[in-house]
Amino acid sequence: METFWETFKRHGLSRRDFLRFSTTITGIMGLSPSMIPKVVQALETKPRVPVLWVHGLECTCCSESFIRSATPLASDVLLTMISLEYDDTLSAAAGEAIEKHREEVIKKYWGNYILAVEGNPPLGEEGMYCVVGGKAFLENLKETAKGAKAVIAWGSCASWGCVQAAKPNPTTAVPIHKVITDKPIIKVPGCPPIAEVMTGVIMHLVLFDSVPPLDSQGRPKQFYGNRIHDTCYRRAFFNAGQFVERFDDDGAKKGWCLYKVGCRGPTTYNSCGNIRWYNGLSYPIQAGHGCIGCAEEDFWDSGPFYERLTNIPLPNVEANPDKVGAALAAAAAAGAVVHGVLSKIRNK
Amino acid sequence: METKRFYIFSPGLRLWHWVNFFAILALFITGLYIGNPFFLGPIGYEATYAYDKGITMDLIRKIHFVAGYVFLSGFIFRVIIALFSKRDRLIIPPFWRRDYWIGLKEITLKYSLIMRDKEGNEYIRNAYARSVYPLIYLLFLFMIITGFAMYGMSNPGGLWASLFGWIIPLLGGEFMTHMWHHWIAWIIIIFAILHFYLVVREELIKQNGELTSMFTGYKVFEKEPVDIEDIKE
């Protein structure tokens, strides 16, 4: 396999182009400028890494996001940085040919390839809710993970379970860390994750030949180290107490904080507030819609997206906790008065 | 009738009780606003400059955090005095003792108005109180852990996050942590209402200094309480 620098030369690109590229991706990966020489050295010496990209229960929004990466371009990553050996959605070949190729690649690069998992395996009915190439995806996943150096969990499906694992989870879909237990797993949650976060994670793996620093939940710190709330450009409105009450009110037009209409920014860890989407163009809050917390565990089950305080999760109870709390407190006070009068009479 | 005065509450405990009272009051009121900001901040300023104009979310959160630190310090103080003084150690219900179970029966009959309050034994602390206070302390601890976990996670590598951050995945994510923190706050307030009522009730029926004991430290009994050994040094 050739190195990145060799690929650059083969494409007729100059040393200056190469250094510019190295500097840019250093920034994207969240590293300090002092790391540029190391990145350059890695690009000069590291051969391209084989990647197997498998799809389970999912909607392909991760792939859709990935191909929109602008810095670096997804095509650059796919064609010059990694060696994408298998992807049942992007492959030209299909059917038995590509499945055979997967088996060959696993043998050939045993212990050296990266497994990228988009989607997750359902455990119900022995995995028969998701079948790839005539085999349960569950089996495919276990088999492919065995020889992998590291595993990337793309998106909320692979990281947390996402919509198919939301209550009542009819197919018993589980995040991949329930199935793959003996490999380092890098969770890249989001529905989908930000394109530049995806390419950034891949580049870190490829260039440094190591898993990026992860937080206690297994997410790369450089991309999931902050709440959206703490990086939000509307944060000043939150601190000032200026809130949108309804989506058609004056506050909404003035771009006030979306906290009261259910924004999950205060409880969601992602880079939407600083990297943003579509090459830094915008992100949901900038477009006037609250964050729905798509990078967080069980965000589908955390109550209505448009309410800050969700209803108390009791069967057949549809009530705001403040109303229930106030009613119970009033009942306790009233009960106390009645009981007090009766006690006084009894103890005459 | 002949009565006896007993020294029940240490100065440290009384101090802690009232500091805790004001801390919880401040925490609850500011917490309600943080959960549901029901009035508007200052108008007519750029948001960037409006955060310190009058009563804003910024100020209310600051009060909440300061009160949270007071609450935490109080809790640590409470644990320390319990370590050093026997009378501050009534936290664990003595369910291995007979008088606890007799007391439980008596207080149930008294609260259901079947038995008169002046009948039966005297206790320095009735069996219901003995059973409920440890649970309330656990709820306090829960509020401290969840509160400082949420507070600390604005800096996930920091001290508070590393001390208390582990609770967040256990509760099913940070959003659910917010919800739990909110629900338990209401339970503590409902406890406070009942606590206040039962103290007033005791005072009204027995005139035994129950209400003033948290200021003076003394309670009056007509006969020696059966669990008096628990506070004898």
Side-chain angles (χ1 to χ4, degrees):
Chain A
M1 290 255 177
E2 67 186 352
T3 67
F4 302 104
W5 172 227
E6 282 160 5
T7 312
F8 264 73
K9 282 192 286 193
R10 188 163 51 79
H11 285 279
L13 293 165
S14 69
R15 179 73 183 170
R16 181 177 291 267
D17 288 328
F18 174 71
L19 291 177
R20 190 182 292 144
F21 175 79
S22 309
T23 309
T24 310
I25 63 166
T26 308
I28 286 286
M29 286 190 292
L31 302 171
S32 76
S34 62
M35 291 293 281
I36 294 171
K38 283 192 182 165
V39 172
V40 171
Q41 197 197 9
L43 286 166
E44 281 169 342
T45 54
K46 289 266 164 20
R48 298 195 299 163
V49 175
V51 174
L52 288 140
W53 188 314
V54 297
H55 298 252
L57 278 187
E58 48 101 358
C59 70
T60 319
C61 76
C62 300
S63 296
E64 286 288 344
S65 176
F66 182 79
I67 59 174
R68 281 161 181 76
S69 177
T71 322
L73 282 170
S75 53
D76 280 350
V77 174
L78 288 180
L79 300 175
T80 67
M81 303 192 67
I82 60 171
S83 167
L84 188 64
E85 294 290 339
Y86 174 91
D87 184 325
D88 39 1
T89 307
L90 294 179
S91 298
E96 282 177 17
I98 187 77
E99 286 305 314
K100 191 158 181 289
H101 182 64
R102 181 175 66 87
E103 284 158 22
E104 281 168 8
V105 169
I106 292 173
K107 265 184 224 140
K108 192 171 163 194
Y109 299 111
W110 185 265
N112 290 315
Y113 61 88
I114 291 167
L115 171 64
V117 187
E118 191 175 340
N120 58 21
L123 302 182
E125 305 286 339
E126 296 176 346
M128 282 303 140
Y129 290 110
C130 184
V131 173
V132 178
K135 267 191 344 196
F137 174 67
L138 179 64
E139 298 310 314
N140 268 339
L141 179 65
K142 281 182 185 165
E143 194 181 295
T144 318
K146 257 180 211 156
K149 184 164 63 176
V151 182
I152 305 176
W154 282 146
S156 291
C157 293
S159 302
W160 308 124
C162 207
V163 66
Q164 60 272 40
K167 283 170 196 153
N169 193 356
T171 64
T172 330
V174 293
I176 61 165
H177 62 80
K178 303 266 179 193
V179 176
I180 305 166
T181 49
D182 55 345
K183 299 283 170 188
I185 295 178
I186 305 155
K187 286 182 189 163
V188 189
C191 193
I194 301 167
E196 282 75 14
V197 169
M198 299 177 79
T199 45
V201 168
I202 287 197
M203 283 188 299
H204 193 111
L205 271 171
V206 169
L207 294 182
F208 297 109
D209 202 11
S210 68
V211 172
L214 304 177
D215 65 9
S216 61
Q217 300 296 294
R219 303 170 293 195
K221 278 182 184 167
Q222 67 256 53
F223 300 118
Y224 296 90
N226 282 310
R227 290 181 182 128
I228 289 174
H229 190 57
D230 293 336
T231 53
C232 184
Y233 80 104
R234 294 196 188 199
R235 179 58 187 265
F237 296 101
F238 174 85
N239 282 15
Q242 297 172 337
F243 298 99
V244 173
E245 301 281 341
R246 290 199 336 235
F247 280 109
D248 58 352
D249 70 2
D250 202 37
K253 284 180 196 136
K254 287 177 177 157
W256 286 359
C257 176
L258 296 159
Y259 182 72
K260 283 187 83 173
V261 286
C263 181
R264 298 289 194 264
T267 55
T268 304
Y269 294 81
N270 207 340
S271 293
C272 301
N274 30 29
I275 294 181
R276 307 199 184 181
W277 290 77
Y278 307 115
N279 202 11
L281 175 70
S282 182
Y283 71 115
I285 295 168
Q286 196 173 346
H289 188 286
C291 167
I292 62 170
C294 76
E296 287 299 306
E297 191 170 1
D298 296 337
F299 73 101
W300 295 101
D301 295 329
S302 299
F305 293 150
Y306 300 102
E307 276 171 30
R308 168 64 201 158
L309 292 171
T310 61
N311 292 332
I312 293 173
L314 292 174
N316 305 320
V317 175
E318 286 278 326
N320 173 287
D322 281 349
K323 282 182 187 151
V324 173
L328 286 176
V337 170
V338 173
H339 190 259
V341 171
L342 291 175
S343 300
K344 196 69 192 160
I345 295 168
R346 178 75 181 93
N347 285 286
K348 268 254 159 66
Chain B
M1 195 182 282
E2 195 192 339
T3 56
K4 280 182 189 161
R5 269 177 106 226
F6 284 97
Y7 179 49
I8 308 285
F9 297 120
S10 68
L13 188 96
R14 282 176 272 151
L15 176 73
W16 169 76
H17 180 274
W18 292 112
V19 169
N20 216 30
F21 167 76
F22 287 111
I24 289 176
L25 201 64
L27 284 165
F28 185 67
I29 294 168
T30 52
L32 278 186
Y33 180 83
I34 294 167
N36 175 25
F38 43 81
F39 60 84
L40 195 59
I43 299 295
Y45 300 97
E46 277 290 315
T48 316
Y49 307 108
Y51 70 93
D52 62 350
K53 305 280 191 299
I55 301 171
T56 59
M57 178 62 105
D58 192 70
L59 178 69
I60 288 170
R61 270 162 52 93
K62 205 169 277 169
I63 296 169
H64 195 81
F65 297 151
V66 169
Y69 274 110
V70 172
F71 188 64
L72 170 67
S73 317
F75 194 86
I76 295 170
F77 176 76
R78 179 70 186 84
V79 172
I80 290 171
I81 60 170
L83 290 179
F84 288 102
S85 137
K86 194 180 171 190
R87 70 176 68 247
D88 295 329
R89 227 178 292 148
L90 295 173
I91 302 161
I92 298 158
F95 42 76
W96 59 89
R97 286 194 340 224
R98 214 166 153 250
D99 64 280
Y100 169 78
W101 295 101
I102 295 169
L104 199 65
K105 192 183 112 198
E106 285 183 356
I107 197 67
T108 311
L109 293 174
K110 283 175 187 173
Y111 282 171
S112 7
L113 310 177
I114 293 164
M115 199 169 169
R116 280 173 212 273
D117 274 66
K118 295 199 176 179
E119 294 163 7
N121 294 311
E122 289 268 30
Y123 299 88
I124 51 166
R125 179 174 291 174
N126 78 49
Y128 277 1
R130 285 210 157 188
S131 318
V132 172
Y133 285 148
L135 300 178
I136 294 300
Y137 280 105
L138 285 180
L139 294 187
F140 286 171
L141 191 61
F142 180 84
M143 294 305 272
I144 288 169
I145 293 171
T146 53
F148 277 92
M150 293 184 290
Y151 174 73
M153 283 302 282
S154 54
N155 176 17
L159 173 72
W160 292 120
S162 46
L163 278 179
F164 299 129
W166 49 267
I167 190 95
I168 289 170
L170 291 184
L171 293 174
E174 197 155 322
F175 185 77
M176 291 317 286
T177 311
H178 281 244
M179 295 301 114
W180 275 106
H181 195 74
H182 200 91
W183 298 330
I184 301 299
W186 274 108
I187 291 180
I188 289 175
I189 290 308
I190 290 164
F191 160 79
I193 292 170
L194 295 176
H195 169 68
F196 176 67
Y197 161 63
L198 292 171
V199 169
V200 171
R201 179 186 185 276
E202 193 82 0
E203 178 68 38
L204 282 176
I205 290 169
K206 288 190 185 165
Q207 277 100 38
N208 62 350
E210 180 82 18
L211 198 56
T212 50
S213 63
M214 202 38 85
F215 298 97
T216 62
Y218 285 95
K219 273 193 215 176
V220 182
F221 296 97
E222 285 177 359
K223 46 198 167 195
E224 184 161 289
V226 293
D227 51 353
I228 194 69
E229 285 301 319
D230 285 353
I231 59 166
K232 279 192 179 149
E233 296 290 340

